[in-house]
Amino acid sequence: MEEDKYLEKLTNPKYWFQYAINQKYVGDQILENCIIKNSMDHKYSDNKTEYITLWSNAHYHYGIGIENGLKGIVIKYYSDKINYDIKSDQIILHNIGGKSGRSHDLLLLAESVELFSDKFCLFKYDQDINSLKIVLKHLSDMVKWGAKYPIPNGIKKHFVFNNSIPAVLVYGFHILDVIEPVFKLFEKELSQ
């Protein structure tokens, strides 16, 4: 890729918002085609492991989508948090969003862009914000390891729910209700 095209994609938040929306679409298609419509091959349809793998991959795409959209917000509103170097004929991207942009910690990244503040007004009630925070912790695990490997890299290395919200919120389709306002924000930002 040419340097000017690379810098355009790096510094134009619309690319990041569009990528976020595309990732959500992929996650939606996994849920719709493989789980809701049960179009899995019959030999897999009763296999809980296959279901969990598909569910994890849908959540992986939602997590990657949110990460890209949040980085779009960084690029749009906090351009000083884009860290890259230009050395001779190479551009080296270190991170977008500081430490939170390197770690795939979606909650930390969301907090760094003030996602929960009045600036974006995503939710009316604190309980909805708390639910999103819990879902972001879960999606961080999906991005880091949950959809890529059958186990985490240690027995205590995964997010554990504390019963402050129903498990069905994350494990069922209610997760879509929690993350939908975030993706609506990305769509709004893309259209501006």
Side-chain angles (χ1 to χ4, degrees), residues 2-190:
E2 294 178 19
E3 183 176 309
D4 58 337
K5 186 66 175 170
Y6 184 87
L7 287 173
E8 163 66 13
K9 284 191 168 189
L10 171 61
T11 59
N12 186 337
K14 290 187 182 275
Y15 287 106
W16 296 83
F17 295 132
Q18 186 61 60
Y19 199 80
I21 292 162
N22 291 346
Q23 288 296 317
K24 181 181 183 302
Y25 176 77
V26 171
D28 289 346
Q29 290 304 300
I30 291 170
L31 288 179
E32 179 71 23
N33 292 324
C34 299
I35 298 172
I36 296 172
K37 290 183 179 175
N38 198 19
S39 64
M40 294 170 53
D41 187 315
H42 181 66
K43 68 181 176 180
Y44 296 119
S45 62
D46 295 325
N47 186 331
K48 184 178 177 185
T49 302
E50 293 300 321
Y51 171 83
I52 291 170
T53 300
L54 291 168
W55 172 88
S56 296
N57 276 276
H59 286 209
Y60 169 82
H61 287 284
Y62 294 138
I64 287 293
I66 290 173
E67 182 175 357
N68 276 272
L70 293 174
K71 288 182 178 186
I73 290 174
V74 170
I75 291 165
K76 186 171 182 177
Y77 297 105
Y78 306 94
S79 60
D80 60 314
K81 292 184 179 184
I82 305 170
N83 184 6
Y84 66 94
D85 290 320
I86 301 176
K87 296 183 180 180
S88 61
D89 65 341
Q90 192 161 358
I91 300 172
I92 302 165
L93 176 60
H94 299 290
N95 63 67
I96 298 172
K99 179 183 177 190
S100 61
R102 287 192 309 264
S103 66
H104 301 294
D105 184 330
L106 301 179
L107 178 57
L108 187 60
L109 188 57
E111 289 170 342
S112 76
V113 300
E114 303 174 88
L115 186 69
F116 309 113
S117 72
D118 292 339
K119 179 177 185 173
F120 295 109
C121 298
L122 289 183
F123 298 104
K124 187 175 179 178
Y125 302 106
D126 287 343
Q127 184 58 36
D128 294 329
I129 292 170
N130 293 336
S131 294
L132 178 59
K133 288 179 178 182
I134 290 168
V135 167
L136 290 176
K137 289 177 185 179
H138 160 71
L139 292 176
S140 294
D141 272 358
M142 293 297 104
V143 170
K144 291 175 189 175
W145 63 268
K148 296 185 255 184
Y149 313 109
I151 59 169
N153 65 353
I155 59 173
K156 295 185 180 188
K157 296 282 186 165
H158 65 93
F159 175 68
V160 178
F161 298 100
N162 64 6
N163 294 328
S164 62
I165 62 168
V168 71
L169 179 67
V170 175
Y171 293 124
F173 294 100
H174 301 295
I175 188 173
L176 300 177
D177 296 331
V178 174
I179 63 176
E180 189 65 29
V182 178
F183 283 102
K184 291 287 185 199
L185 171 65
F186 300 154
E187 290 172 0
K188 178 182 168 192
E189 293 290 335
L190 178 63

